[in-house]
PDB file of all heavy atoms in Angstrom:
ATOM      1  N   TYR F  70     -19.141 -33.283   4.348  1.00 37.00           N
ATOM      2  CA  TYR F  70     -19.491 -33.047   2.952  1.00 37.00           C
ATOM      3  C   TYR F  70     -20.773 -32.251   2.912  1.00 37.00           C
ATOM      4  O   TYR F  70     -21.697 -32.526   3.657  1.00 37.00           O
ATOM      5  CB  TYR F  70     -19.706 -34.372   2.225  1.00 37.00           C
ATOM      6  CG  TYR F  70     -18.464 -35.207   2.115  1.00 37.00           C
ATOM      7  CD1 TYR F  70     -18.095 -36.054   3.141  1.00 37.00           C
ATOM      8  CD2 TYR F  70     -17.660 -35.119   0.984  1.00 37.00           C
ATOM      9  CE1 TYR F  70     -16.942 -36.818   3.049  1.00 37.00           C
ATOM     10  CE2 TYR F  70     -16.512 -35.886   0.885  1.00 37.00           C
ATOM     11  CZ  TYR F  70     -16.156 -36.731   1.911  1.00 37.00           C
ATOM     12  OH  TYR F  70     -15.041 -37.473   1.817  1.00 37.00           O
ATOM     13  N   LYS F 163     -43.856 -32.392   8.494  1.00 97.00           N
ATOM     14  CA  LYS F 163     -45.210 -32.934   8.495  1.00 97.00           C
ATOM     15  C   LYS F 163     -45.689 -33.275   9.903  1.00 97.00           C
ATOM     16  O   LYS F 163     -46.565 -34.119  10.071  1.00 97.00           O
ATOM     17  CB  LYS F 163     -45.259 -34.180   7.613  1.00 97.00           C
ATOM     18  CG  LYS F 163     -44.888 -33.927   6.161  1.00 97.00           C
ATOM     19  CD  LYS F 163     -44.938 -35.209   5.341  1.00 97.00           C
ATOM     20  CE  LYS F 163     -44.570 -34.956   3.889  1.00 97.00           C
ATOM     21  NZ  LYS F 163     -44.625 -36.209   3.088  1.00 97.00           N
ATOM     22  N   LEU F 290     -54.974  -3.022  12.046  1.00 87.00           N
ATOM     23  CA  LEU F 290     -55.405  -2.488  13.335  1.00 87.00           C
ATOM     24  C   LEU F 290     -56.273  -1.252  13.147  1.00 87.00           C
ATOM     25  O   LEU F 290     -55.935  -0.349  12.380  1.00 87.00           O
ATOM     26  CB  LEU F 290     -54.180  -2.145  14.187  1.00 87.00           C
ATOM     27  CG  LEU F 290     -54.454  -1.540  15.547  1.00 87.00           C
ATOM     28  CD1 LEU F 290     -55.168  -2.539  16.447  1.00 87.00           C
ATOM     29  CD2 LEU F 290     -53.148  -1.081  16.191  1.00 87.00           C
ATOM     30  N   LEU F 340     -49.028   7.047  20.803  1.00 95.00           N
ATOM     31  CA  LEU F 340     -47.795   6.297  21.023  1.00 95.00           C
ATOM     32  C   LEU F 340     -46.913   6.983  22.066  1.00 95.00           C
ATOM     33  O   LEU F 340     -46.066   6.342  22.690  1.00 95.00           O
ATOM     34  CB  LEU F 340     -47.029   6.151  19.701  1.00 95.00           C
ATOM     35  CG  LEU F 340     -47.735   5.336  18.603  1.00 95.00           C
ATOM     36  CD1 LEU F 340     -46.925   5.382  17.313  1.00 95.00           C
ATOM     37  CD2 LEU F 340     -47.951   3.896  19.048  1.00 95.00           C
ATOM     38  N   LEU F 379     -36.886   5.780  13.996  1.00 97.00           N
ATOM     39  CA  LEU F 379     -38.137   5.820  13.242  1.00 97.00           C
ATOM     40  C   LEU F 379     -37.964   5.090  11.920  1.00 97.00           C
ATOM     41  O   LEU F 379     -37.097   5.448  11.110  1.00 97.00           O
ATOM     42  CB  LEU F 379     -38.560   7.267  12.993  1.00 97.00           C
ATOM     43  CG  LEU F 379     -39.828   7.471  12.160  1.00 97.00           C
ATOM     44  CD1 LEU F 379     -41.043   6.870  12.851  1.00 97.00           C
ATOM     45  CD2 LEU F 379     -40.064   8.959  11.875  1.00 97.00           C
ATOM     46  N   PHE F 396     -42.468  21.647  11.596  1.00 96.00           N
ATOM     47  CA  PHE F 396     -43.823  21.408  12.090  1.00 96.00           C
ATOM     48  C   PHE F 396     -44.520  22.731  12.414  1.00 96.00           C
ATOM     49  O   PHE F 396     -45.698  22.935  12.066  1.00 96.00           O
ATOM     50  CB  PHE F 396     -43.749  20.531  13.341  1.00 96.00           C
ATOM     51  CG  PHE F 396     -45.076  20.059  13.845  1.00 96.00           C
ATOM     52  CD1 PHE F 396     -45.644  18.878  13.378  1.00 96.00           C
ATOM     53  CD2 PHE F 396     -45.774  20.781  14.808  1.00 96.00           C
ATOM     54  CE1 PHE F 396     -46.880  18.434  13.853  1.00 96.00           C
ATOM     55  CE2 PHE F 396     -46.989  20.349  15.298  1.00 96.00           C
ATOM     56  CZ  PHE F 396     -47.545  19.173  14.806  1.00 96.00           C
TER      57      PHE F 396
END
Side-chain angles (χ1 to χ4, degrees):
Y70 295 85
K163 300 179 180 180
L290 178 65
L340 296 175
L379 177 62
F396 188 88

